[in-house]
Amino acid sequence: MNRIDQKFQEDHKLLSIYFSAGHPRLEDTVPILKNLQAAGVDMVEIGLPFSDPLADGPTIQKSSTKALRNGMTTDHLFSQLEHIRKDIHIPLVLMGYLNPMMQYGIEKFCKKCEAIGIDGLIIPDLPVDVYHDEFKTLFDQYGLYNMFLITPQTPEERIRYIDKVSNGFIYMVSSASVTGAKNTFGNTQTTYFERIANMKLNTPTVVGFGISNRETYETATAHSKGAIIGSAFIQFLEEKGVAQIETFIRSLRE
Amino acid sequence: MNYNVDEKGYYGDFGGAFIPEMLYPNVTELRESYLTITEQPEFKKEFDDLLKVYVGRPTPLYFAKRLSERYQTKIYLKREDLCHTGAHKVNNTIGQILLAERLGKTRIIAETGAGQHGVATATVCALKGIECIVYMGELDIKRQAPNVARMKMLGAEVRAAESGSKTLKDATNEAIRDWINNPVDTHYIIGSVVGPHPYPDMVARFQSVISEETKWQLQEQEGRDYPDHVIACVGGGSNAAGLYYHYLNDKRVNIIAVEAAGKGIDSGESAATSALGKEGIIHGSKTLLMQTPDGQITEPYSISAGLDYPGVGPLHAHLFRSKRAEFISIPDQEAMDWGLTLSQMEGIIPAIETAHAFAALDVRKFGSDEVVVFNCSGRGDKDLETYIDYFKL
Ligand SMILES: Cc1ncc(COP(=O)(O)O)c(C=O)c1O
């Protein structure tokens, strides 16, 4: 069974963390993963940095740029992760834009992910229909899940379609916005979270974008299976460093 | 082979809409409505009227006598530089503002490189009384100062794109992020035949007025409605798409595209996408783009801000791969020299982008009976400072 499915059977809310591989320092990837797992994080999205991250706000733009300057490449990330499954048992998802994967070669990329033990991918600029027509067979062959995003503007019919073709989880973007930390969620967000919960989708949902602290984490998970924190974690890493990761995670949930 | 877009938004291998889900509703709305709206008689009438009385169309097709004598061929200039605001860009912004209006949008965003598209967008927003925000690379804000001032005078807000190379590519990223953040009330007026489907086709259609006029103007002057060669500079490729449009499937017409070689193709400072690019995804479109082996988009370089883009529209990628068009690239220096040549031989000071196209005359021989149409895409007012510095005027 895919580690993602296994994890989502556990009877509690899930906390997932995103970071840009190669940031703050090139060789931080494995230490970050170990610290996150030790602190009780349920799942990690490892960001493959891209020069032109269209769907990202200033924090992740900066961490991606810095990671690239530090020398991060697709090959280097794969070499860092080569033996990761000796230590890390939580689900690992790679999150990145399509162009670097295309240049690596989609099949070669999938093969490598399978060999390492990557459970799934999130590719913000790969639309569902293109995935379905051109990528799905390959992903299935290598046991990789591909997770899709929905937003407050996604029409109901399309959400139903995404639910039907999804595996793993549906990534609910919290508001019409690029990535970036917010301090609170307003009425619009809670109404949207409730609306989606009431649709009784088959695929579990995880909320991401804008989650930064215990309050936003709790609002987000009140109506979904879990939440993903990115920008706020990256800011914390930059200020406090890898060794303090546990403090950050404890501030979100005991 | 057919060179028009197919129903899925592709030109051969290129095109499509590789967009984050956040943009799906907006792009879908456009895709589903752009043809129905633009084909309504009422839309066409307002579009044609504005092109006539506001933009000043038809623009002349001018027979360049002295140039023709020097190069022993028949050279015509399609005078897009005489459009209101000084370049072809306004043909597209007129079309898109009318579309935005009909979609009920109340806020317009745009990206700009040379500032020509920014000015053309600010202009139509002023015309319609709609809020306008233009993203422009920090570096371009410095090198195209007159256009920044014009946009401000026209009531637009100019926002600096401070990421990456601080030029057109980054301004486009910022505009796309703005659209993600404002999905309901905002229309994004892209300035070239780039971006996700339906933008490349929509912009090409608005620019196609260039070749539509060329056809009857040539008929009047040459007794036939097609030339032997059409030549245009290519940044994203909108002025080129406009000039080629009605000749794409006409094999009697040879197509020549001129890209900016910057400091030379092998110098590492270039914007010659056809020579240096590989297939990839930029700004929602599968096309040729300059990138590292690892798939990071390269920072391009050209002395002309309007050609300083690491990709090319998917139509042009297809014209290149299918060999329908000849692609040549011209370094800064030759383009600058042509700025002077055209000024002193024909009394027309071209934009530096435009000057690149004319340098084809030094690279390529044309027969004495052949008819060659150049797109004179824009005027050089915005580039005076660059010309002054370069030639110590
Ligand atoms: C005068 C002129 N020509 C050409 C271009 C290049 O754009 P495109 O390739 O879309 O025509 C620009 C862009 O700013 C321009 O101002």
Side-chain angles (χ1 to χ4, degrees):
Chain A
M1 189 196 268
N2 189 302
R3 285 183 201 89
I4 298 173
D5 291 335
Q6 231 163 348
K7 177 54 84 176
F8 276 74
Q9 284 176 359
E10 291 177 11
D11 191 22
H12 62 95
K13 301 293 182 180
L14 306 181
L15 171 61
S16 185
I17 295 289
Y18 167 93
F19 70 97
S20 300
H23 172 270
R25 291 171 312 177
L26 180 61
E27 299 304 335
D28 281 339
T29 313
V30 175
I32 290 174
L33 287 172
K34 286 184 179 167
N35 277 285
L36 286 173
Q37 176 170 281
V41 162
D42 295 294
M43 177 167 72
V44 182
E45 275 92 39
I46 305 171
L48 183 63
F50 181 47
S51 55
D52 293 75
L54 283 184
D56 286 300
T59 303
I60 295 178
Q61 287 173 43
K62 261 187 238 143
S63 61
S64 304
T65 306
K66 194 150 175 230
L68 292 172
R69 270 199 212 122
N70 288 344
M72 185 49 79
T73 63
T74 308
D75 262 328
H76 193 71
L77 178 60
F78 281 144
S79 74
Q80 290 178 333
L81 296 177
E82 185 122 38
H83 305 294
I84 199 68
R85 284 302 179 193
K86 280 202 293 207
D87 300 302
I88 303 292
H89 54 79
I90 56 176
L92 294 178
V93 172
L94 282 191
M95 185 159 179
Y97 290 81
L98 188 53
N99 196 55
M101 299 179 191
M102 270 176 69
Q103 300 316 313
Y104 195 85
I106 300 292
E107 175 146 24
K108 193 175 144 204
F109 193 93
C110 291
K111 222 179 204 165
K112 200 80 200 184
C113 285
E114 186 197 36
I116 287 169
I118 297 295
D119 304 293
L121 294 165
I122 300 174
I123 310 170
D125 57 347
L126 177 60
V128 188
D129 36 334
V130 182
Y131 171 75
H132 210 259
D133 294 348
E134 296 174 30
F135 292 76
K136 190 178 181 323
T137 318
L138 214 52
F139 277 45
D140 288 349
Q141 187 186 329
Y142 292 100
L144 291 171
Y145 281 4
N146 188 57
M147 271 65 67
F148 299 108
L149 275 54
I150 62 171
T151 82
Q153 265 69 42
T154 312
E156 172 160 352
E157 191 189 344
R158 186 165 168 86
I159 297 178
R160 294 275 175 218
Y161 168 68
I162 289 175
D163 185 34
K164 213 175 85 194
V165 300
S166 279
N167 39 32
F169 58 91
I170 290 175
Y171 192 138
M172 267 175 77
V173 176
S174 65
S175 57
S177 114
V178 294
T179 55
K182 289 189 183 63
N183 287 325
T184 54
F185 280 141
N187 249 341
T188 340
Q189 270 99 29
T190 28
T191 317
Y192 158 61
F193 297 159
E194 282 165 16
R195 174 166 64 86
I196 302 300
N198 288 335
M199 287 181 72
K200 307 260 177 272
L201 303 175
N202 292 316
T203 321
T205 57
V206 173
V207 179
F209 287 34
I211 298 162
S212 63
N213 51 24
R214 184 186 295 245
E215 187 194 331
T216 41
Y217 174 72
E218 280 173 2
T219 318
T221 50
H223 301 284
S224 71
K225 182 67 181 170
I228 302 175
I229 300 183
S231 297
F233 177 70
I234 289 169
Q235 276 160 5
F236 177 89
L237 266 187
E238 218 164 63
E239 285 161 25
K240 303 278 164 55
V242 177
Q244 299 298 312
I245 284 178
E246 207 202 331
T247 332
F248 181 80
I249 302 302
R250 250 193 290 117
S251 75
L252 296 163
R253 62 171 195 197
E254 287 299 348
Chain B
M1 199 181 289
N2 184 315
Y3 295 93
N4 299 106
V5 77
D6 70 19
E7 65 292 340
K8 289 182 117 182
Y10 279 82
Y11 300 88
D13 300 331
F14 302 108
F18 294 83
I19 47 164
E21 188 62 30
M22 291 81 107
L23 289 178
Y24 179 84
N26 278 331
V27 172
T28 303
E29 179 183 42
L30 264 188
R31 193 187 65 232
E32 287 173 349
S33 61
Y34 83 110
L35 290 177
T36 26
I37 292 179
T38 55
E39 276 161 16
Q40 283 162 3
E42 165 272 332
F43 179 98
K44 279 188 168 159
K45 185 175 183 314
E46 190 175 358
F47 183 59
D48 291 344
D49 282 352
L50 283 174
L51 288 187
K52 185 172 169 207
V53 300
Y54 189 72
V55 174
R57 303 203 72 93
T59 59
L61 183 70
Y62 163 70
F63 177 68
K65 192 154 168 288
R66 293 188 64 207
L67 264 191
S68 296
E69 273 167 15
R70 176 185 286 185
Y71 286 91
Q72 290 296 301
T73 186
K74 292 185 186 169
I75 297 172
Y76 285 88
L77 272 52
K78 183 61 177 154
R79 297 291 309 276
E80 294 301 300
D81 58 314
L82 294 178
C83 288
H84 177 45
T85 70
H88 67 289
K89 296 283 181 189
V90 72
N91 302 327
N92 168 44
T93 61
I94 295 267
Q96 287 204 48
I97 198 75
L98 297 183
L99 185 67
E101 230 181 0
R102 281 151 183 81
L103 293 172
K105 305 291 178 178
T106 54
R107 181 175 175 273
I108 296 294
I109 53 171
E111 86 297 336
T112 196
Q116 281 308 113
H117 174 61
V119 168
T121 305
T123 299
V124 298
C125 287
L127 181 71
K128 291 290 181 181
I130 297 180
E131 181 187 358
C132 178
I133 291 144
V134 179
Y135 289 90
M136 188 168 188
E138 213 179 14
L139 187 72
D140 292 337
I141 288 184
K142 293 202 184 94
R143 58 178 168 172
Q144 303 284 330
N147 273 345
V148 177
R150 290 165 81 198
M151 286 185 268
K152 289 183 180 165
M153 263 195 93
L154 291 160
E157 181 191 336
V158 180
R159 289 191 191 161
E162 290 159 3
S163 55
S165 52
K166 305 179 175 43
T167 62
L168 183 52
K169 147 178 104 73
D170 313 285
T172 309
N173 290 342
E174 287 307 321
I176 292 175
R177 289 181 187 121
D178 182 308
W179 210 18
I180 289 175
N181 290 335
N182 298 282
V184 180
D185 62 346
T186 300
H187 174 69
Y188 175 21
I189 300 191
I190 288 188
S192 193
V193 287
V194 300
H197 177 65
Y199 276 107
D201 183 50
M202 179 170 74
V203 176
R205 282 168 186 264
F206 290 142
Q207 292 292 359
S208 69
V209 65
I210 299 172
S211 46
E212 195 181 307
E213 289 172 4
T214 303
K215 283 184 86 168
W216 63 257
Q217 289 171 321
L218 271 181
Q219 183 68 43
E220 275 181 13
Q221 297 182 61
E222 284 291 327
R224 58 167 156 122
D225 69 355
Y226 67 95
D228 298 293
H229 306 271
V230 283
I231 305 182
C233 68
V234 174
S238 67
N239 86 88
L243 180 66
Y244 305 162
Y245 196 86
H246 290 287
Y247 298 121
L248 284 171
N249 298 315
D250 183 345
K251 282 300 166 55
R252 297 169 300 183
V253 182
N254 181 48
I255 296 176
I256 300 178
V258 183
E259 292 182 317
K263 295 184 177 163
I265 290 201
D266 302 319
S267 68
E269 294 186 70
S270 177
T273 307
S274 67
L276 299 168
K278 277 180 56 193
E279 191 170 319
I281 309 278
I282 183 170
H283 299 139
S285 180
K286 187 190 279 187
T287 187
L288 294 172
L289 62 123
M290 291 163 45
Q291 51 185 312
T292 67
D294 199 43
Q296 309 299 336
I297 299 177
T298 312
E299 300 181 0
Y301 165 82
S302 163
I303 194 166
S304 81
L307 303 183
D308 203 351
Y309 185 69
V312 68
L315 162 66
H316 299 289
H318 181 47
L319 294 178
F320 175 72
R321 181 167 284 179
S322 65
K323 300 197 162 61
R324 172 69 184 97
E326 272 177 59
F327 276 69
I328 57 184
S329 52
I330 297 297
D332 287 355
Q333 192 183 334
E334 286 168 37
M336 292 301 283
D337 288 345
W338 263 97
L340 265 194
T341 305
L342 196 70
S343 301
Q344 298 180 0
M345 287 195 68
E346 298 292 345
I348 295 169
I349 302 177
I352 301 173
E353 291 80 8
T354 311
H356 281 76
F358 289 94
L361 286 168
D362 296 322
V363 176
R364 192 62 177 63
K365 284 276 160 283
F366 301 102
S368 56
D369 288 339
E370 288 193 313
V371 173
V372 184
V373 175
F374 283 90
N375 201 352
C376 191
S377 61
R379 55 180 177 245
D381 306 25
K382 70 180 176 61
D383 296 314
L384 267 188
E385 207 166 314
T386 312
Y387 282 134
I388 291 169
D389 283 352
Y390 192 87
F391 293 114
K392 309 277 177 277
L393 299 171

